[in-house]
Amino acid sequence: MNWRKWILPAVMLLLIAFGYSYRFQLFYLLITPIVDFDPDHLPPAPDYQDLKFWAMHPAKENLSDPAQGLQVFWIHPTTLRSPIRWNEAPGDIAATERFEWTRREQASLFLTCCRVFAPHYRQATLASFWQTKSGYQARSLAYSDVRRAFDQFLLDVNPGEPFVIAAHSQGTEHGLRLLHERIAGTPIQNQLLVAYLVGMPLHRESLDTFMPQIPICDRPEATGCLVGWSTLKETLNPENYRKHAVWPSESGYHSVAGDFVCVNPVSWKADGVGTSTDQHQGAHLRKHEGLKIKARCERGALLVDDVDANLMIAQNGNYHLDDYALFYYDIQKNVRTREAAYRDANKRP
């Protein structure tokens, strides 16, 4: 037997089997920067007085009446996956092009009601969430930009008018820090209509401990509160997807036990009662616009129908990329409901 001719095929099969078994680890390795975070070599900080560093801004959206409308501060999710740098250079062509997905699938929902302010920021690359010191430093740098952008937002918006904080994924971590450090317990908290902090597990005990001034929303017209959810196919086990709670610390995330926030974006309640397709306002999906689904909160996750066949990008039941798109029209309606309740309670036109 000529065993030598079988060596190469056998090696190839072993490599394929190894690659498949460790495909996620290999993927992480390929998108993890090869150098440590270096505070002496960072992209230049954005100047938020320059419209170049705003991905969305009323002055750039050609609104018919830019002085009117509810104000939304949108913090976009991670779009950078780089093996060579920890943070993005905001405002360049690549950053602008990457933002277009979040504009189309997420932030666009607010344009029917609101003046949207969405900063480009030195977002941390996806690998920054691998619980490393460099990753935390990269995320902290990103947050420092978001905070400065928010301060400029407060100077530019209509004084005394209500505003919304809306965020997804990495943006939700920054939005949470913003609520904690910049809004909770301050006079501007009175202007907070709602915070949509979506796509990251939010630990109830941490919120109660560090930010008791801002409660979880418990009804669709509640204001001054926050909502959050992470969307999974109903057959998946939420325990596999909520291993880390978002609360910034020097080591990254805490691993904690306990309850996690899930507000159903159809009923806008956190009571665990499921909602029907008749109650759903519809999804914004390019393969099925207006799709209606059932949803319920269970063990800190939002469990929904199997929608894999309706998505442009397969997600194997973890519908993280479509946390907003699946409830696009529900969120649109809810913003108007909360704004009407706020203006009525505060006797504002």
Side-chain angles (χ1 to χ4, degrees):
M1 176 179 180
N2 186 1
W3 57 269
R4 292 181 180 178
K5 69 178 182 179
W6 296 103
I7 291 179
L8 183 58
V11 170
M12 292 299 295
L13 285 173
L14 286 172
L15 289 174
I16 291 171
F18 178 85
Y20 182 80
S21 299
Y22 293 93
R23 60 193 183 280
F24 297 113
Q25 292 89 338
L26 291 172
F27 171 71
Y28 297 153
L29 180 63
L30 290 173
I31 63 169
T32 299
I34 58 176
V35 296
D36 290 336
F37 179 91
D38 185 350
D40 294 325
H41 294 87
L42 301 175
D47 175 4
Y48 290 113
Q49 295 185 38
D50 185 343
L51 283 178
K52 169 186 175 181
F53 295 107
W54 291 93
M56 298 174 72
H57 191 283
K60 300 174 75 172
E61 300 298 326
N62 298 317
L63 299 178
S64 58
D65 189 357
Q68 299 299 316
L70 184 66
Q71 299 149 146
V72 175
F73 187 75
W74 170 257
I75 314 170
H76 71 75
T78 307
T79 59
L80 179 65
R81 293 160 177 79
S82 175
I84 58 175
R85 54 179 173 161
W86 285 100
N87 294 86
E88 181 153 65
D92 67 13
I93 294 175
T96 302
E97 290 177 348
R98 280 193 291 271
F99 181 83
E100 288 309 302
W101 169 81
T102 184
R103 176 199 295 272
R104 183 180 65 248
E105 306 293 336
Q106 300 177 323
S108 62
L109 74 89
F110 296 107
L111 290 176
T112 61
C113 65
C114 310
R115 305 167 70 227
V116 180
F117 295 74
H120 286 299
Y121 63 96
R122 287 175 291 183
Q123 64 163 299
T125 189
L126 182 62
S128 67
F129 291 90
W130 301 173
Q131 301 185 43
T132 65
K133 181 178 180 181
S134 287
Y136 176 71
Q137 290 173 307
R139 294 185 349 254
S140 291
L141 177 70
Y143 169 70
S144 71
D145 286 352
V146 171
R147 176 166 175 148
R148 287 187 302 101
F150 182 71
D151 288 342
Q152 184 64 46
F153 165 79
L154 292 177
L155 294 174
D156 291 344
V157 300
N158 299 327
E161 283 290 292
F163 62 83
V164 171
I165 301 292
H168 185 243
S169 196
Q170 177 176 166
T172 284
E173 178 177 309
H174 303 322
L176 183 67
R177 292 183 70 172
L178 201 63
L179 285 183
H180 177 225
E181 298 178 13
R182 191 70 181 84
I183 299 173
T186 73
I188 62 173
Q189 182 181 332
N190 296 326
Q191 295 172 244
L192 177 67
L193 184 72
V194 63
Y196 296 105
L197 300 182
V198 180
M200 282 284 192
L202 304 175
H203 186 237
R204 281 183 177 272
E205 185 178 345
S206 294
L207 292 173
D208 291 342
T209 300
F210 294 104
M211 205 163 54
Q213 305 95 329
I214 300 179
I216 309 301
C217 299
D218 59 0
R219 61 191 192 281
E221 66 276 8
T223 61
C225 52
L226 68 86
V227 301
W229 66 86
S230 295
T231 317
L232 302 176
K233 183 165 61 178
E234 61 182 354
T235 56
L236 296 186
N237 181 359
E239 301 294 338
N240 295 332
Y241 295 92
R242 57 167 224 178
K243 295 177 181 177
H244 303 288
V246 174
W247 197 268
S249 68
E250 196 163 335
S251 60
Y253 289 144
H254 301 285
S255 289
V256 291
D259 292 333
F260 289 74
V261 174
C262 177
V263 176
N264 187 325
V266 177
S267 67
W268 300 101
K269 297 180 179 180
D271 54 12
V273 176
T275 53
S276 67
T277 55
D278 291 339
Q279 294 170 275
H280 186 211
Q281 298 298 309
H284 175 59
L285 303 173
R286 280 178 284 169
K287 291 182 70 174
H288 195 152
E289 182 70 17
L291 175 71
K292 300 292 189 75
I293 58 175
K294 300 187 294 294
R296 74 179 189 278
C297 287
E298 183 177 308
R299 289 176 287 169
L302 183 68
L303 303 183
V304 301
D305 297 334
D306 184 344
V307 297
D308 285 322
N310 298 289
L311 304 180
M312 296 297 292
I313 301 175
Q315 298 173 55
N316 298 317
N318 180 4
Y319 301 136
H320 178 71
L321 295 179
D322 293 289
D323 282 320
Y324 272 86
L326 286 169
F327 303 98
Y328 192 94
Y329 298 105
D330 299 88
I331 302 168
Q332 278 189 342
K333 179 181 178 180
N334 184 245
V335 172
R336 296 188 183 96
T337 297
R338 294 187 198 273
E339 183 183 15
Y342 179 94
R343 294 191 183 282
D344 181 63
N346 290 275
K347 303 298 186 288
R348 300 185 68 94

